[in-house]
Amino acid sequence: MSSRVQNIRGMRDHLPSAMILRQHIVATLVSVFERYGFEPLQTPVIEYAETLDGKIGDDEKLIYRFEDHGGRKVALRYDQTVPLARVVAQYQGQLLFPWRRYAIGQSYRGERPGRGRYRELWQADVDIVGSSSPVADAEIIALLTDSLVALGFTGFTTLLSHRQLLGGIARVSGLDDAAAGNVYRAIDKLDKIGVDGVRAELLAGGVAHDAVERILALISLRGAADDVLAELAQRLSGDERALAAVNNLQAIISHVRAMGVPEQQFTIAPSLARGLSYYTGSVFETVVHNPPMGSLLGGGRYDELIGLFAGRPIPTVGLAFGIERLHDVMEELGLGPQARTVAVALMTIFSPEMAPASLALAHELRAAGLAIEVALDPGEKLGKQLQYADRRGMPYALVLGPDELAHGEVVVKDLRTGDQRRLARSVVADALRRM
Amino acid sequence: MSSRVQNIRGMRDHLPSAMILRQHIVATLVSVFERYGFEPLQTPVIEYAETLDGKIGDDEKLIYRFEDHGGRKVALRYDQTVPLARVVAQYQGQLLFPWRRYAIGQSYRGERPGRGRYRELWQADVDIVGSSSPVADAEIIALLTDSLVALGFTGFTTLLSHRQLLGGIARVSGLDDAAAGNVYRAIDKLDKIGVDGVRAELLAGGVAHDAVERILALISLRGAADDVLAELAQRLSGDERALAAVNNLQAIISHVRAMGVPEQQFTIAPSLARGLSYYTGSVFETVVHNPPMGSLLGGGRYDELIGLFAGRPIPTVGLAFGIERLHDVMEELGLGPQARTVAVALMTIFSPEMAPASLALAHELRAAGLAIEVALDPGEKLGKQLQYADRRGMPYALVLGPDELAHGEVVVKDLRTGDQRRLARSVVADALRRM
């Protein structure tokens, strides 16, 4: 058999050591999502190609397409937002709005793989479908804050802005809607090219010198959220849409506070553009600054996309946690479980005759909820069994010899220190749980 | 936008009501798998087509194949066994054997969809790689028993046999290895065509009348496992390989007993053939008989397949839980959680002024681990909020009016009975947890 023994680049195998972290990430997110009353949805990876056509802009060329056995033109999903839009239209009679749904799964993008860029990527999406209330926007921000805290992140801040804020900034600086598009694109690069870079790009794009300076002054506003919003309200007082955006942000942050998000974990950042053109209201992005790891995730309100299939606007706010990004960053920061194995102990088999008693003890401990691996070869020397457990990185090994069995005891060996203790069988489960 | 608003047949959307059951199934399986020390593995859905070629026999035509953006010939995985074989070969330097791994994910088969037959199917695979010990076979059977009990199944039995048993039965009946193949195929249909059908098929295949009767007598043996094995040992005494199989089964069931599996949950069934040609040792199949639901899952030992890529035999025993089958059967039997929503209660908003206090209460209860949905529109009438919670099927609603706030109390309304109680705020979390 001359098969190639290799995964495709950009599509990762996750061995157990990595999976222990990934499962911790997913389980933690699900637990927070469910505390907020979000409900799980699962859709197939394969969709009719038509369903995806014309929904995601320039990246459409990255979609994996093929014909199935029945000659249907099908595609692998690119994200979980378009499938959500299809589901909302297809099952609207069965769904009750507002609908909080989460979805965790793979999407596929035919990109050139590179650092942080994968062809198979897992995302955990949360969206509130069918509400334009600022309480919904606030809830998404509170949820992401709780999620990151639960994952062990400490020094992070969510930057918050609004689509109509940048528009207003462009308009009060004397630009029309067409020119405003160039302003968004230039500001979107602020992190990469700095204020001077944005200035150069705006000037090169034909924006007048004083307009450029007014724009830069507005997007550079920093400080306490209320102060920044008050300042923006004053400077944008001539632009009704921008003022509505400021009021919307004011409402959102008051709800965010009521939901217990500490002041240092959110801020107003008028420069926040967020690339995706489908956002229509609030936009946000969470940045890890301690240690500095850059942007972790983002989201916002998009009131048009979800209603595309249903034929009417359906206001929606949400975000996607990129599991690949969380995985990579948490690995780098050493966050998450440090265990190298699922099993807390190896149940050794002292001798072939002791096999039944040892398997019975393993059964007893498993029934008590402990993760116990058993040695599989009753004829193997005890030393080799202990060596295997140690090489696997298991914290403990259990030994049950004839003498222990006769006295109702078990030897618990700490494989990191080499210490061993003989304990009454009845307390072993509790002892392992405590250790 | 004229997109088709439809999923592809045979690839299901799972709305929250179904997902609550599916997540319960997966979480229950994972918890049992991990108690046995099995470790998670995740591989991509897409593999090089070569990796799948020539591995799965006639069903190869069901594989979804296409070319990716780089012109590579790729395929969607058909099962999780071939990817496991690839992983074992690719990472053999990093893996320590015996290796217990589980994998939960989708596979794809271009079948004609029908009752119980899906094009996207989820499976939960467990395999012990790199051990030929009967303790490993026993552990898989103990694990599947614990898993089904944890899922709420009661009346089920695991039928156990061995590949060399049927071979021995054919040989002592005077047939050569080539004729034995026809015997397996005929016996494999026993459930569908009955003893008379098998008899007719064997006779039509040219097997002599007395050989047919000897075969039928052997495969019809029933009774206590030890008795059946003793009887088989006697009748197959001339065939060394069959006797080794009987001894192997004897060892497996003694370990199965030591691991706490009750006698009524396993039996020796010499007629068990299991279609898959890659089994080399023990084979087993679990049947739900109360109420009669037929076969639920099966597995066995296959010592050749996993080593195909590595170029040497790697003894392996395992099984796959079909999540689709478990889902369909549990739904029919009414097993699993009966909750219709993730949230235990809706936090209503009594009036716009009460929004901050209500959101703060929701935050407090969520921090205590409860799943609370909040009403999103502070201006909506309380009656409509309660109606929404009731239509969603939520068990409770919480009301916090100015009077309750002033007295440090909360109204808890039972939406099924209409009863409502005013409780001290400090006891609400505990009260909801108990209800």
Side-chain angles (χ1 to χ4, degrees), chain A residues 131-132 278 280 301-307 312-317:
Chain A
S131 170
S132 54
Y278 62 60
T280 58
R301 172 169 287 285
Y302 54 110
D303 286 349
E304 307 294 334
L305 183 70
I306 292 299
R312 58 190 163 86
I314 297 179
T316 300
V317 59

Side-chain angles (χ1 to χ4, degrees), chain A residues 130-144:
Chain A
S131 170
S132 54
S133 164
V135 178
D137 304 65
E139 190 163 68
I140 295 289
I141 293 165
L143 173 150
L144 85 81

Side-chain angles (χ1 to χ4, degrees), chain B residues 26-42:
Chain B
V26 169
T28 303
L29 292 179
V30 166
S31 119
V32 177
F33 297 170
E34 298 206 337
R35 270 193 276 142
Y36 278 79
F38 282 70
E39 300 193 318
L41 169 72
Q42 198 173 74

Side-chain angles (χ1 to χ4, degrees), chain A residues 344 395-396 398 412-414 416 421 423 427-435:
Chain A
V344 67
Y396 300 98
L398 306 175
V412 179
K413 192 174 169 68
D414 185 324
R416 294 156 303 189
R421 290 198 289 162
L423 298 177
V427 306
V428 171
D430 274 346
L432 284 173
R433 243 191 299 270
R434 271 199 312 275
M435 288 182 203

Side-chain angles (χ1 to χ4, degrees), chain B residues 308-322:
Chain B
L308 220 50
F309 294 98
R312 58 189 163 89
I314 297 178
T316 301
V317 58
L319 69 85
F321 292 84

Side-chain angles (χ1 to χ4, degrees), chain A residues 13 39 91 133 139 366 376, chain B residues 13 91 133 139 366 376:
Chain A
D13 292 316
E39 301 193 317
Y91 304 95
S133 164
E139 190 163 68
R366 287 166 174 171
L376 290 176
Chain B
D13 292 315
Y91 304 96
S133 165
E139 189 163 70
R366 287 166 174 171
L376 290 175

Side-chain angles (χ1 to χ4, degrees), chain B residues 371-389:
Chain B
I372 304 290
E373 191 172 320
V374 299
L376 290 175
D377 181 357
E380 192 175 50
K381 289 212 175 108
L382 189 61
K384 283 204 73 171
Q385 297 178 34
L386 294 173
Q387 197 179 35
Y388 162 82

